[in-house]
Structures are given as C-alpha cells and as structure tokens.
C-alpha cells in the first residue's frame, strides 16, 4: 500500500511518498491467553490507579506523563484524539484543555463505540483513515486548525510482529498526512507505533514537518511491549503566509 501527499505553501512544497511492506509479509497467528491477560491486569498498579482516579483505562497515565514533560495540551487547545476508545486519552485531553477562563475542543474518533465523555465530541464507529471521517472532523473544527493531534490507534494484533508494525506505521502516516492539512503552525503530533524496521521512515517524514522529533516511552508503557510514541513538536509548514 502507498500513501502519498503533497502540500504547497508560499515557501516550499512537502511531498511525501510512503510505501508499506505489508503485501510482502505473512499471515497472522493467534494471540495470547486470556488467563495471562487477567493476571496481568490484576497485578498492574496503573490499572488500580486508573480505577481509583476515574480514568477509563491505564493508558491515561501515558498521556499525563508525556504532557507533563512536553506541555502539548494547554487550556484552550484544540485536540484530535485518533483511536480514542474507551476514552482515557480524551478524558485527559478534556481536562488539560479546560481552565476557569478557557474552553478547549476535543474530538475523539474510534472504530469502536465510545461511551460519551463530558467535554468531548465523539465520532464512534468511524474509521479515521477514510475521507468521510476526516471531512467530519474538518466540519466540526469549522475553520479552526488543530493544536494537537494524538494517535493511540492500534490495529487488531495479528500475532505477526512485522505485519502489525507495518499496519500501525501506516496509521501513523495517515495521521501525518491529515496533520499536514489541519494542524496549526507550532502544533504537535503524538503517534503510537510498535517499534520496528519502518520507524525511521516515519520519523524521517516527521522531520520534514516538525522542528523537533522525539521518541518517547512513558513509564506506563509495559516494559515487554514494543510500544513507543513518536512525538513531532512545532509544526513548521505555514499554509497561511
Ligand atoms: C489502545 S486503544 C486506544 C486507547 C485510548 N487511547 C484510551 O486511552 O482510551 C486503540 C484504539 O484504536 C482504534 N483504532 C484502530 N484503528 C483505527 C482506525 N482506523 N480508525 C479509528 N480508530 C482505530 C481501536 O478501535 C482501539 O479502540
């Protein structure tokens, strides 16, 4: 599969061609046992803390930690949360983007259902990668640009690490393509991938869009997981000059 796009501004043109390897990769095998999963949940301090603090899942702590370090979301921010279900990142984004004097905007999108979250516009049952969904987001923004685009999207695990890696990188590239159209100058993108051979291709696209690109692994990521976050800060394609 290939994802290509081009954005032209007064000063430069960004042209991106990303070719994924998935057609060359093999087929899935089965996932891990449910007993193992239940035991892991019961012994995980972040699961307990999330329940105590009212977050929908332990992932909340990943965004809280990243935001503490990099201050991506501020009061008044316009945030798009791709892959939002069950909703902990949207909960965190809604809290961080609101203050006594400033009201942010948070749009959460997911293939799955999302139980409504106060302060969040949800697009449940929506595939972020489709033009219909992206047009809906643009309509909700109503001429505003986004300050922060988050993607914790993850494809259903196939059991074949290389194939899953390839698919999650394709989702990140789709997020970057959308970002190049609707992110404000100085805006940020945070994308989850499972680490692997395509990482450098995705970061090299990000380096053409952001002044700073970092790889972040918050403490709440499970140590055995290949999960990492690619953070692009300070978007510098200025469409309005
Ligand atoms: C790890 S979960 C996200 C957890 C979320 N950040 C939270 O804190 O509650 C990954 C989500 O990505 C969603 N997803 C995967 N592919 C997607 C797509 N193409 N469009 C929208 N959502 C997608 C899945 O349905 C799943 O709910």
């Amino acid at each position: 599969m290939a994802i290509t796009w081009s954005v032209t501004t007064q000063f430069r043109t960004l042209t991106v061609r990303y070719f994924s390897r998935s057609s060359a990769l093999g087929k899935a095998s089965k996932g891990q046992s449910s007993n193992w999963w239940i035991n892991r949940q019961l012994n995980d301090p972040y699961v307990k803390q999330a329940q105590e603090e009212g977050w929908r899942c332990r992932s909340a702590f990943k965004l809280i930690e990243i935001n503490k370090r990099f201050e991506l979301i501020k009061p008044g921010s316009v945030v798009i949360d791709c892959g939002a279900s069950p909703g902990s990142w949207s909960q965190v984004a809604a809290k961080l983007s609101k203050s006594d004097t400033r009201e942010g905007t948070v749009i959460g999108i997911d293939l799955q259902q999302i139980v409504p979250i106060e302060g969040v516009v949800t697009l449940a049952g929506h595939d972020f990668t489709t033009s219909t969904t992206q047009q809906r987001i643009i309509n909700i923004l109503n001429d505003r640009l986004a300050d922060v685009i988050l993607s914790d999207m993850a494809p259903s695990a196939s059991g074949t690490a290389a194939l899953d890696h390839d698919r999650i990188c394709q989702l990140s590239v789709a997020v970057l393509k959308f970002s190049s159209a609707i992110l404000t100058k100085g805006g940020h993108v945070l994308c989850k991938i499972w680490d692997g051979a395509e990482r450098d291709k995705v970061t090299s696209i990000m380096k053409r869009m952001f002044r700073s690109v970092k790889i972040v692994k918050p403490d709440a990521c499970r140590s055995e997981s290949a999960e990492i976050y690619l953070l692009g800060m300070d978007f510098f394609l200025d469409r309005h000059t």
Side-chain angles (χ1 to χ4, degrees):
M1 182 185 162
I3 303 175
T4 59
W5 78 92
S6 183
V7 183
T8 303
T9 72
Q10 186 180 340
F11 301 112
R12 63 191 282 260
T13 300
L14 170 78
T15 303
V16 174
R17 291 190 185 83
Y18 175 81
F19 296 96
S20 92
R21 303 173 310 151
S22 50
S23 52
L25 294 168
K27 232 193 159 261
S29 69
K30 226 164 168 17
Q32 291 170 317
S33 83
S34 59
N35 275 351
W36 175 85
W37 186 86
I38 290 165
N39 278 332
R40 189 178 71 169
Q41 289 292 100
L42 290 174
N43 294 316
D44 184 331
Y46 288 111
V47 171
K48 191 161 176 276
Q49 198 183 341
Q51 283 162 356
E52 286 166 2
E53 294 181 14
W55 304 117
R56 291 192 180 173
C57 62
R58 69 190 293 293
S59 303
F61 298 108
K62 301 174 194 172
L63 182 58
I64 290 169
E65 183 187 328
I66 293 171
N67 203 70
K68 211 170 183 179
R69 279 177 69 189
F70 300 105
E71 295 182 4
L72 308 176
I73 305 171
K74 304 183 185 85
S77 290
V78 175
V79 183
I80 297 174
D81 179 15
C82 308
S85 180
S88 77
W89 277 29
S90 285
Q91 288 179 296
V92 171
K95 190 170 176 197
L96 293 169
S97 61
K98 187 178 162 58
S99 69
D100 290 345
T101 51
R102 302 205 64 189
E103 197 77 40
T105 299
V106 180
I107 306 171
I109 305 107
D110 205 287
L111 291 170
Q112 310 291 328
Q113 289 311 305
I114 309 171
V115 175
I117 302 165
E118 202 185 324
V120 179
V121 179
T122 52
L123 292 176
H126 281 69
D127 181 348
F128 167 76
T129 62
T130 64
S131 52
T132 316
T133 299
Q134 295 183 0
Q135 190 54 53
R136 287 214 168 120
I137 298 170
I138 289 166
N139 293 346
I140 294 167
L141 287 176
N142 195 19
D143 284 339
R144 287 171 304 167
L145 295 171
D147 297 301
V148 182
I149 302 185
L150 308 170
S151 172
D152 200 24
M153 282 191 289
S156 308
S158 72
T160 300
L163 181 60
D164 293 340
H165 165 67
D166 200 61
R167 287 181 178 159
I168 203 167
C169 286
Q170 282 177 39
L171 289 173
S172 292
V173 175
V175 169
L176 292 173
K177 179 176 180 180
F178 187 58
S179 304
S180 70
I182 62 134
L183 196 60
T184 196
K185 191 180 175 201
H188 315 301
V189 166
L190 178 69
C191 276
K192 172 163 79 182
I193 65 163
W194 294 309
D195 204 3
E198 299 290 285
R199 180 185 74 186
D200 290 348
K201 265 201 236 170
V202 181
T203 52
S204 73
I205 295 172
M206 293 178 82
K207 283 176 185 159
R208 297 171 61 198
M209 299 172 63
F210 298 93
R211 293 200 197 285
S212 161
V213 175
K214 294 184 193 313
I215 295 168
V216 189
K217 180 138 181 150
D219 291 342
C221 287
R222 299 183 197 277
S223 54
E224 73 277 13
S225 164
E227 174 179 273
I228 54 170
Y229 289 87
L230 308 180
L231 173 60
M233 292 181 72
D234 199 359
F235 180 63
F236 63 77
L237 276 181
D238 187 353
R239 287 171 301 271
H240 303 285
T241 47

